[in-house]
Amino acid sequence: MTDDVENTEQAEAEVDELEALRAENEELIDTVQRVKAEFDNYRKRAARDQESLVARAGERIVKELLPVLDDLERALEAAESHEEAKLEEGVKLVHRQLEQLLEREGLAPVATDGKFDPNVHEALLTQPSAAEEGSVIEVLQKGYRLGDRVLRPARVVVAGPKDEDGDQV
């Protein structure tokens, strides 16, 4: 009978050991699954960060080229009033090339027709106008977007309020 008791105790010990090993195995599988999920999240986050970095890589140079574009636009306006058609043609060519280059890099002008939008416009002043209050009536400096970000807001004049008679204030 002691043999049977010893065998039963040994069998119970083996069952307990087997259950402990199963629990440890399940715990290890759970840990591995968590580490795998964390790694997948890290990989996705690193890929998003890399895409963002690539998208912003040209931002500094494009921002530095904006004053050149502005100067060329002013030169074109001045050249139109002079007889030197070749100068005007040359400046137009350079302007067109620079504009195309910047467009290929993702630069787009900020729309300035319609209502004032503080997200993309910078109101330098308001003026009484026959236009609807809060609408853009003059653009003092073009604004630009690079991809989905505003690189430089458009500097604009906004229509102010009229008096009760409908006249300009």
Side-chain angles (χ1 to χ4, degrees), residues 126-145:
T126 60
Q127 286 183 347
S129 171
E132 181 183 344
E133 184 178 346
S135 61
V136 174
I137 56 174
E138 185 180 351
V139 178
L140 301 175
Q141 186 179 42
K142 281 183 169 181
Y144 293 94
R145 291 179 181 273

Side-chain angles (χ1 to χ4, degrees), residues 113-165:
D113 52 338
K115 281 290 217 184
F116 172 77
D117 180 357
N119 296 313
V120 295
H121 300 137
E122 181 180 339
L124 296 182
L125 56 113
T126 60
Q127 286 183 347
S129 171
E132 181 183 344
E133 184 178 346
S135 61
V136 174
I137 56 174
E138 185 180 351
V139 178
L140 301 175
Q141 186 179 42
K142 281 183 169 181
Y144 293 94
R145 291 179 181 273
L146 186 60
D148 60 346
R149 291 183 59 197
V150 175
L151 194 57
R152 180 177 77 188
R155 293 183 172 161
V156 297
V157 177
V158 180
K162 301 174 193 174
D163 65 12
E164 284 85 31
D165 300 334

Side-chain angles (χ1 to χ4, degrees), residues 65-80 87-100 102 142 144:
L65 285 171
L66 288 177
V68 175
L69 185 62
D70 293 338
D71 290 343
L72 283 171
E73 286 177 354
R74 283 191 282 276
L76 282 172
E77 290 173 9
E80 285 177 358
L87 170 67
E88 184 180 348
E89 257 180 62
V91 173
K92 281 183 180 179
L93 176 65
V94 172
H95 181 262
R96 188 170 40 251
Q97 288 173 335
L98 182 59
E99 212 170 38
Q100 290 170 351
L102 293 172
K142 281 183 169 181
Y144 293 94

Side-chain angles (χ1 to χ4, degrees), residues 39-111:
F39 181 75
D40 284 345
N41 290 338
Y42 166 78
R43 186 179 46 79
K44 290 173 185 173
R45 187 174 53 251
R48 277 193 313 269
D49 291 348
Q50 181 66 25
E51 287 173 9
S52 175
L53 181 63
V54 168
R56 306 287 182 251
E59 181 174 328
R60 183 188 55 78
I61 188 70
V62 170
K63 192 170 185 177
E64 289 178 22
L65 285 171
L66 288 177
V68 175
L69 185 62
D70 293 338
D71 290 343
L72 283 171
E73 286 177 354
R74 283 191 282 276
L76 282 172
E77 290 173 9
E80 285 177 358
S81 64
H82 292 81
E83 296 285 329
E84 299 166 301
K86 288 185 181 185
L87 170 67
E88 184 180 348
E89 257 180 62
V91 173
K92 281 183 180 179
L93 176 65
V94 172
H95 181 262
R96 188 170 40 251
Q97 288 173 335
L98 182 59
E99 212 170 38
Q100 290 170 351
L101 173 124
L102 293 172
E103 283 175 8
R104 282 193 304 271
E105 292 299 319
L107 187 73
V110 168

